[in-house]
Amino acid sequence: MNSIPSKYVYVFGASRTEGAADMKNLLGGKGANLAEMCRLGITVPAGFTISTEACTAYTELGREAVQERLQTEVRAGIAFIEQEMDKRFGDAADPMLLSVRSGARASMPGMMDTILNLGLNDEAVLGLARQANNERFAWDSYRRFVQGYGDVVMGLKPVSKEEHDPFEVIIDVLKEQRGVQLDTELDSDDLKELVQRFKALIRARLGCDFPTDPWEQLWGAVWAVFDSWNGDRARAYRELNDIPQSWGTAVNVQAMVFGNLGETSATGVAFSRDAGTGEDLFNGEFLVNAQGEDVVAGIRTPQQISLVGSRRWAELALVSEEERLGKYPSLEELMPEIYAQLLHAETTLEKHFKDMQDIEFTIQAGKLWMLQTRTGKRTGAAMVRIAMEMLQQGMIDEKIALLRVSPDRLNELLHPVFDPKALTAAEPIARGLPASPGAATGQIVFFADEAEAWSRQGKAVILVRQETSPEDLRGMSAARGILTARGGMTSHAAVVARGMGKCCVSGAGAVHVDLKARTMTVMDAAYHEGDWISLDGSTGEVFAGQIPTVDAQLSGDFGALMALADRYKRLEVRANADTPQEAGIARALGATGIGLCRTEHMFFEGERIVAVREMILADDEAGRRRALAKLLPMQRGDFEGLFREMDGLPVTIRLLDPPLHEFVPHDEASQRVMAQDMRVPLSKIRMRVEELHEFNPMMGHRGCRLGISYPEITEMQVRAVFEAGLNIQAQGVVVKAEIMVPLVGTVREFDAQAEVIRRVAAMVFAERGETLPYLLGTMIETPRATLIAEHLAKQADFFSFGTNDLTQMTLGFSRDDAGKFFPDYRKQGIYERDPFRTIDQEGVGMLVQMAVENGRAARPDLEIGVCGEHGGDPVSVAFFHRAGLDYVSCSPYRVPIARLAAAQAAVQG
Amino acid sequence: MNSIPSKYVYVFGASRTEGAADMKNLLGGKGANLAEMCRLGITVPAGFTISTEACTAYTELGREAVQERLQTEVRAGIAFIEQEMDKRFGDAADPMLLSVRSGARASMPGMMDTILNLGLNDEAVLGLARQANNERFAWDSYRRFVQGYGDVVMGLKPVSKEEHDPFEVIIDVLKEQRGVQLDTELDSDDLKELVQRFKALIRARLGCDFPTDPWEQLWGAVWAVFDSWNGDRARAYRELNDIPQSWGTAVNVQAMVFGNLGETSATGVAFSRDAGTGEDLFNGEFLVNAQGEDVVAGIRTPQQISLVGSRRWAELALVSEEERLGKYPSLEELMPEIYAQLLHAETTLEKHFKDMQDIEFTIQAGKLWMLQTRTGKRTGAAMVRIAMEMLQQGMIDEKIALLRVSPDRLNELLHPVFDPKALTAAEPIARGLPASPGAATGQIVFFADEAEAWSRQGKAVILVRQETSPEDLRGMSAARGILTARGGMTSHAAVVARGMGKCCVSGAGAVHVDLKARTMTVMDAAYHEGDWISLDGSTGEVFAGQIPTVDAQLSGDFGALMALADRYKRLEVRANADTPQEAGIARALGATGIGLCRTEHMFFEGERIVAVREMILADDEAGRRRALAKLLPMQRGDFEGLFREMDGLPVTIRLLDPPLHEFVPHDEASQRVMAQDMRVPLSKIRMRVEELHEFNPMMGHRGCRLGISYPEITEMQVRAVFEAGLNIQAQGVVVKAEIMVPLVGTVREFDAQAEVIRRVAAMVFAERGETLPYLLGTMIETPRATLIAEHLAKQADFFSFGTNDLTQMTLGFSRDDAGKFFPDYRKQGIYERDPFRTIDQEGVGMLVQMAVENGRAARPDLEIGVCGEHGGDPVSVAFFHRAGLDYVSCSPYRVPIARLAAAQAAVQG
């Protein structure tokens, strides 16, 4: 809010319209589209929109600051509606009634519900009855208005969780007294009685009368919309959906039309294409003689709009054609003329907006009024199909087709989801972070080895842990899904699960795991080993019991979309993959290289961990070398597999990164086992584990610091790389190795490791009499590395931003600990996005940009990529595109998402 | 080394001199000063210096790269010496002998020892005997040469630690055979025999002959000097003393003169002022008929140079005036003419160099030759006195006087030190970090409460811990010194000890603490509770047994120096102080404010910790508020004390910073006690402690993140500040409160806390009807804060850089864990300085500068300070001066150091 805007109120109607579709920021989505429909000549009840700027001024400066200007403009707006509709607001004899609706830029549940029939009072209801020649209709409208306004505007809510909606209680009591079952069985006197009782309730509970002045009613509704923008539910929704608190909402005030004036009236919703599958089929639902809310309420079975849709519905609902035609005819059959108008409007709108439309309409006494049009929500699969079909139909061009698909929604195509029918009934028992997408259902196990064992017996299991560690890898692999009580979006469980494409919910704080008792407790409910639970890794929800899942299927449209994306994107997309299996998935999903192979993940399998621990326990370099010699052939084998799988594509290998204490057990029982296995005294293991203890392991003895202390580790690892490369190259495979030094902070650190790597390379090449081209680069993950990028670029062939660690260090946030305070931060709007999911452009992004600029200044052909979790986040991918990176690397299942995001970034320039 | 220098060899002598004193970087200190003496007309044996550039080229490019050029120039240099001294190198009849010495920019032990008498062989020794008319002298010279050259150049060292020096073994055997005690009792035949046996040993051990060719001898010596620059000891010394590996050493080749040609010959060292006290007294020591090494060897008692010095010596040594005159006459008495020449040379040199000189000379057959002059090493006290007296004497101006004192050496004046006499005999049993200066001796205790108890019984105790925690505060305060096995220079023990001005050695890795057995083990030796040990917190040394200490005394010169410093410095110096007591010390040491009051240090005393724990255990905000209400009066009392003590000066108060788990016990025993004390079940405490666990506490739920989650903590703390301020202001004291929000990373974090602080301020002022001026600022300690400095400066009155955390996060180093790899890093030259002691200018410094520039751009009058440990480090203080900060803040005992460093920075511009 830099200056006072010139106006707050924008009218729309048949004769004059001030708004338009491109004014969404100012008028909200609903308001802008109502105006656009008027411009297209579609019949819409006249109205006006109070702009979002008024809401922002109201929030920031208070009601007084906007009231005066707004009153003048609103009065003019009402006068406009009166003229258009040829009725008078507050005219008791023939009242013009209004609807008041909120309408933000983005569709947003949690905002104020619609207020209908505003303008009614004890006198006007009589006028309405006379005009409509329908007393029951008038009193029902009044009843609905008092109930809605009392709840939404006046705030008469249940006083406790136990209490039912008090208005509904009053209705139930009256129905009991009248001996009827349905609201529709109440007659106009009953409705009149209800209005009286509602008003009495309001007076008793709120200590004030229900407002009878239509203007007072209107202002109450307007302020309530503004207040609802700042309500808890709306705030919570915005946090979840990354909507800035500063946008504000618009208010739409519009003349009422009625779908409940008799058998020639109706109300309904329609979609220009199928929201579930994307099929190009116009259909929807309607109810004769009903108001909009009745369609949603689900008391009467709605009818289908198109004949094709109606027949399909009957087939699914096991309704005979006879019964269908008799009881549930389509609008196409029932009111063919109206249907034709609707179809025309739909076609006009879809062509105009060039996207699938979700339309609300009312038929009042045989006249069609359009109440709303908006871009239709759809499933990920529908999103892809609609985009590709509209492209084929010539409705949109390639760029728009690309922009039409939300990259994140591709997840739905890549992972299993819960069967939607089964899900509606389920209530989550807990909520964690949506750490790795997909749905899974299985029996609880608490130990990784049992996950393996049960899985071998053919059972579906969910591994439930306080947190996971690398030792749990095989158990995680065997489980259908993983649930942890601790840890964030980039905790071990989350990162590994995403790599495996396996569903994971992490950091579910309400879950208490008791390993001894083999139970998990949520609130007061205990779940035992073997109990069924279900996880939704895309939402973070945890459900009790078994919920069936539906497998992913990649459609032909998906492939076409990906091919299109690849033609537009400038960024390459590599994958983070540690095994040939993961590499294979990544390649199948379109990765053009491995951007991060975490060599330590190879250290845990079977006998390897024994050799690793031998190395850690060794008293001197000679002892370490003996242990490393055992690891060499295994690691070489791993790299051979990767190189073979990635034939012709680059494979970026990061040297050992985690602190050594991650490889030793910390509990006494496991230490005893280790002591026995390795035939060393327990005390020695204890002492070494104690020595390895770190206060802040994230900033401890890890990354290249290990290689500096123990160059023999680096020697073994790069020897494995070069020997594997030569072996595979000899088989005719094109090997492109890129070796990456982690956690570099100074040029000398890089130089020291580079010297070792080049020396080993020269040795191996001399031994074999052959060479292997390779790149030697550095991770950029400490803030200091970004500051000395110019000097590093002179030494390193490439940069790879490790944005996870860079974010942690720049923000001073431990991602594993942030769960304790970050919810407070989101609630208070301190961070609008999770900086571990979407890169913090203002802080971390500034360092990235500095490093890119200074690095390229020193070496124009420097290859620059990113291998943090952000590489798979669409908003971050767009940033990396703008920052001029060469590639992003992400977990295999996010590769398609990154490809599409990269294409969108290129299209958006 | 960007280009090949024009020459490598610089001659000096009576007739021509190419070097000068200002060429130290090129010629080393020794070479530059030899040249300067020649320029001053002082008689020096002719010679030449091979420049440090030759050494650097040798190290970087190898011997071949320099050999050819060097050979030509060295031959010319030898020709020059021959001409000056009128002798021929390699002339068997009358050989010119040479000395070869290393000479780096900075004086540096660990480099190659001096080679004397180079040029002798079996023929030349006969010529020398003839010329000197002294066969024994000639053979003794030859013997010394072979022994020295064999050891230093040829590398004939003992093969094991157990073996004695093999040359000395041969001498001992011969003395045994001859039945004599002293070397001097061996005659020329014996010495001849020794030469033969030495040569035989060399042949046997090294498989090669001792070189007879003088040129071969010379080149061997030159390469040995260059090699010694890269030797382990020299590297280790450079690491310890922050000398870059790239400097290189020069080589000085000079004609030999002999102090052992009879009774008119002598050799000695002299100081232009007293090195211990700084008194303006010319004195030193000499030996008649001796070579330089004999003075150092300590076999004969040396005589004093000046009469005054000689008389003082006799008094201390209990030598009668008669005996003194007979056996130990001063040079002034013995050779008055030579003494006069020496005094003249000394006066000339001191006046010329304007600093105390340390001179080496030789008298050869009645002729005085000066061999070296250099700035004399001195104690901290002497440093101060000499600077201030030279200023009074008009020899130097104020700026030079300020620059003459190394700020760090002021420590010696501020803290007790070991009695130098007692110390010489002691050998350290272990070495840790010099965490807090001063010396302490006491009995070992392992528990803080026992430190208190023993101390109450009047015992001197040293608290020995694996590491300390805030719960140990009172025990630390009661102890004379603190020794920890873990932790760095900024560990809890180190920071707290420095604040207390108490001696501390931290991170002594060789010390194993066994709390159960109440022993500490170093190697195989065990030290039990009650055993005496002594700590030198200025060197990090740990000694067994009791070593008496000498108390600190601040001399008048110290005060004068400080007053001078204050006139020149631009930076203000504040202190980090948490108690009125510390504040008092800080003020007495010249602090002009408190730059950091860590409020959490107030949370541990007595019943406070109970209230703090109550707060932590509280289930809701109401419970927390109840506990905080108990803390309020205590915290208010603390602030009252601070404000009273700092009357008129600013007091910067940081809101609660550490994670809450620092306030709860982590071992079961203490948890049991806490459970009993607080009457809650142990399980509740366990669960809460577990909930508070953090993977990386440094980056966890701390700093303003606590205040965001629990605004009631901030409310209590600032209420205590404002109430205390108003109470004390009412007493006529001038209160200047500055409230500081820690760990800020976003503007919204600061705003959220600022809102709470301003709200509470308004409330308190309204309650009291009075106001208190205050500043509201932010710490800059996350890298992100430096990046958004411009935005923060619009909201905050001041910035205070928390460079400890900023360094940790920028470098990705945990200071508590760095001990594991940092020694490797120093050894490999990856960091030339400890970034936690001296600010990393390239990385962290860049962020500081950015933040200062951007902060001031947004708010030109922004107050900017630093309150990290770096605020007391002279090199860092100079950086902060240049960066344009307003003040530094450091622990009270470093305030004088910072004041001087600030003045030096201002003088150096």
Side-chain angles (χ1 to χ4, degrees), chain A residues 584-596:
Chain A
I585 295 169
R587 196 163 188 165
L589 291 171
T592 53
I594 292 179
L596 174 63

Side-chain angles (χ1 to χ4, degrees), chain A residues 118-149:
Chain A
L118 189 141
L120 281 177
N121 52 30
D122 291 350
E123 288 173 68
V125 67
L126 305 176
L128 181 66
R130 237 179 347 259
Q131 285 296 325
N133 195 21
N134 186 333
E135 202 178 357
R136 190 185 183 286
F137 154 73
W139 281 101
D140 190 42
S141 298
Y142 193 20
R143 188 272 301 176
R144 286 172 194 255
F145 171 53
V146 175
Q147 181 172 354
Y149 197 93

Side-chain angles (χ1 to χ4, degrees), chain A residues 227-299:
Chain A
D227 289 334
S228 76
W229 172 259
N230 295 309
D232 289 342
R233 275 185 65 207
R235 279 184 179 275
Y237 181 84
R238 287 200 291 275
E239 275 154 27
L240 272 173
N241 292 276
D242 293 335
I243 298 175
Q245 308 282 1
S246 60
W247 278 5
T249 182
V251 185
N252 296 292
V253 177
Q254 201 175 4
M256 282 294 301
V257 290
F258 297 95
N260 54 348
L261 279 183
E263 293 305 307
T264 57
S265 297
T267 193
V269 294
F271 298 91
S272 66
R273 304 200 177 209
D274 189 285
T277 65
E279 185 185 356
D280 187 4
L281 169 69
F282 176 56
N283 193 26
E285 297 180 330
F286 73 101
L287 279 176
V288 173
N289 194 15
Q291 266 199 333
E293 57 188 1
D294 300 329
V295 183
V296 185
I299 296 165

Side-chain angles (χ1 to χ4, degrees), chain B residues 45-48 81 85 96-99 101 253-257 371:
Chain B
F48 60 82
I81 304 177
M85 302 301 284
M96 182 178 77
L97 303 187
L98 299 175
S99 69
R101 292 179 172 92
V253 177
Q254 201 176 6
M256 283 293 301
V257 290
L371 298 184

Side-chain angles (χ1 to χ4, degrees), chain A residues 467 690-691 693 695-696 698-699 705 709 748-749 784 808 810-812 814 817 820 824-825 829 840, chain B residues 467 691 693 695-696 698-699 705 709 748-749 784 808 810-812 814 817 820 824-825 829 840:
Chain A
E467 61 211 87
E690 196 197 315
E691 277 171 16
H693 165 83
F695 296 99
N696 292 290
M698 215 248 101
M699 311 171 91
R705 296 164 195 170
S709 294
R748 291 187 196 182
E749 274 174 315
R784 194 178 196 283
Q808 294 194 86
T810 304
L811 274 54
S814 159
D817 299 314
K820 296 215 174 89
D824 292 331
Y825 267 52
D840 160 40
Chain B
E467 61 209 87
E691 276 172 14
H693 166 82
F695 296 98
N696 292 289
M698 216 247 101
M699 310 170 91
R705 296 165 196 170
S709 294
R748 291 188 194 180
E749 272 173 315
R784 196 179 196 282
Q808 294 193 89
T810 305
L811 274 55
S814 159
D817 300 313
K820 294 213 177 94
D824 292 331
Y825 267 51
D840 159 39

Side-chain angles (χ1 to χ4, degrees), chain B residues 641-860:
Chain B
L642 280 178
F643 288 140
R644 197 179 288 119
E645 194 67 47
M646 298 306 289
D647 184 3
L649 298 179
V651 176
T652 316
I653 293 164
R654 181 179 70 185
L655 301 178
L656 187 66
D657 185 55
L660 295 183
H661 52 75
E662 286 198 8
F663 300 99
V664 291
H666 290 80
D667 59 305
E668 187 169 319
S670 309
Q671 288 177 358
R672 272 186 202 287
V673 173
M674 179 176 161
Q676 276 164 12
D677 286 357
M678 303 189 64
R679 291 174 197 171
V680 292
L682 176 61
S683 62
K684 175 163 186 173
I685 290 175
R686 258 202 216 132
M687 192 179 279
R688 187 74 182 117
V689 170
E690 196 198 317
E691 276 172 14
L692 289 172
H693 166 82
E694 294 187 309
F695 296 98
N696 292 289
M698 216 247 101
M699 310 170 91
H701 198 181
R702 52 170 289 239
C704 67
R705 296 165 196 170
L706 292 172
I708 303 265
S709 294
Y710 311 118
E712 54 274 15
I713 298 180
T714 303
E715 286 175 18
M716 183 281 284
Q717 290 204 297
V718 294
R719 175 169 279 275
V721 170
F722 292 123
E723 290 184 352
L726 290 175
N727 290 348
I728 294 302
Q729 187 176 260
Q731 296 169 15
V733 172
V734 176
V735 174
K736 292 187 171 175
E738 305 192 354
I739 294 174
M740 182 154 81
V741 182
L743 211 69
V744 165
T746 74
V747 173
R748 291 188 194 180
E749 272 173 315
F750 180 79
D751 286 349
Q753 288 286 283
E755 187 276 323
V756 174
I757 294 165
R758 294 211 174 93
R759 177 161 47 76
V760 173
M763 272 167 58
V764 174
F765 298 164
E767 286 162 20
R768 298 294 191 96
E770 274 176 298
T771 62
L772 186 75
Y774 70 98
L775 296 185
L776 175 46
T778 179
M779 298 269 307
I780 302 284
E781 51 188 338
T782 64
R784 196 179 196 282
T786 65
L787 300 171
I788 58 161
E790 191 182 338
H791 307 298
L792 280 173
K794 288 180 186 149
Q795 309 298 323
D797 298 327
F798 65 89
F799 282 0
S800 178
F801 286 100
T803 50
N804 296 348
D805 278 356
L806 188 58
T807 298
Q808 294 193 89
M809 293 179 203
T810 305
L811 274 55
F813 269 23
S814 159
R815 62 193 182 193
D816 289 323
D817 300 313
K820 294 213 177 94
F821 55 89
F822 207 71
D824 292 331
Y825 267 51
R826 291 298 294 274
K827 216 171 282 165
Q828 298 184 36
I830 287 172
Y831 277 92
E832 294 201 331
R833 298 164 188 272
D834 176 353
F836 293 117
R837 202 177 74 190
T838 300
I839 195 154
D840 159 39
Q841 292 186 32
E842 188 183 26
V844 179
M846 192 193 282
L847 292 179
V848 169
Q849 275 172 317
M850 277 172 53
V852 170
E853 280 161 28
N854 294 331
R856 287 258 168 77
R859 182 190 288 238

